[in-house]
Amino acid sequence: MAASTWTWNGSTGFSTTAADWTLTSGAGNTKNYPAPGDTVIVPAGLIEDGLAELAGQGFVTLQAGAEILVTASGDGFSLGTNGGTSGTLTVTGAGALLNVGGASNGIVIGNTGTGDLNVQNSGSVVDTTLSLGGNQTAPGGGKGTLALSGASDVEVVNGLALWSGSTLSLDASSGIDLGSSNFYTPGTV
C-alpha cells in the first residue's frame, strides 16, 4: 500500500485517536490514523505520545507552535528503529517542540536503520537521552543524523551517544545543552 499523508487537527490528544487526524492524501488505512511509512504534519496542537504507530518509519513535520510530548515510563521517540527502515522528523519554527524529557527511553535516531532529526528555525527538542546510530549502551549499526540550524536548540538531560557512521551538526546560531541548565552557547555542544 502506498504511503498516505495525515494532518493533525490541532487538538490535544493521543496519536491513535482517529478523530484527531485528517487524511490529506493517499488511501489511508482501516484504523484512520498514520501507519508505518506515512507522512505526518502537525501544524498546531499537542500530541501526547511518541507516534509509536509509525514504528520509527515515515516523515513527520512538527510546525511552529505544535508539540509532541512523551512522558510515559518506557516510552520514547524513535526514527529508523529497525534495519531497512528510515524515518525523518523535522521540528521547525518558534514554539515547535519535541519533548521527551519525562520518558525513560529518550530519543533514538537510526538504531539499526536510518534516521534524521532536523531542528530548524527556532525549533526545540528536550529529552532525557539522545542516541544516534545505536542506543545509550551500544552501537546498533544504523545511521543517525541530527542537524540544527536557525537558532534552534536541543537539551539532553542525561546522556548523548553518537556512534560511528552517525553525524551531528549545528550552525553558529544553534546549540546543544548537555544537562538541564536550559542554556546553550550558540554554535557549541
Side-chain angles (χ1 to χ4, degrees), residues 71-100:
T71 59
S73 178
D75 280 351
F77 194 93
S78 299
L79 299 166
T81 308
N82 299 314
T85 66
S86 64
T88 299
L89 170 63
T90 300
V91 180
T92 184
L97 174 64
L98 171 62
N99 186 342
V100 190

Side-chain angles (χ1 to χ4, degrees), residues 104-173:
S104 57
N105 287 340
I107 299 173
V108 178
I109 309 297
N111 186 32
T112 58
T114 302
D116 298 300
L117 175 56
N118 303 304
V119 189
Q120 58 196 35
N121 303 319
S122 299
S124 297
V125 173
V126 175
D127 57 337
T128 51
T129 59
L130 175 61
S131 305
L132 301 163
N135 59 41
Q136 283 291 297
T137 58
K143 180 182 177 189
T145 301
L146 171 62
L148 285 80
S149 63
S152 297
D153 65 281
V154 172
E155 178 181 308
V156 183
V157 177
N158 294 323
L160 171 65
L162 177 63
W163 297 103
S164 178
S166 295
T167 58
L168 183 153
S169 65
L170 60 146
D171 69 7
S173 65

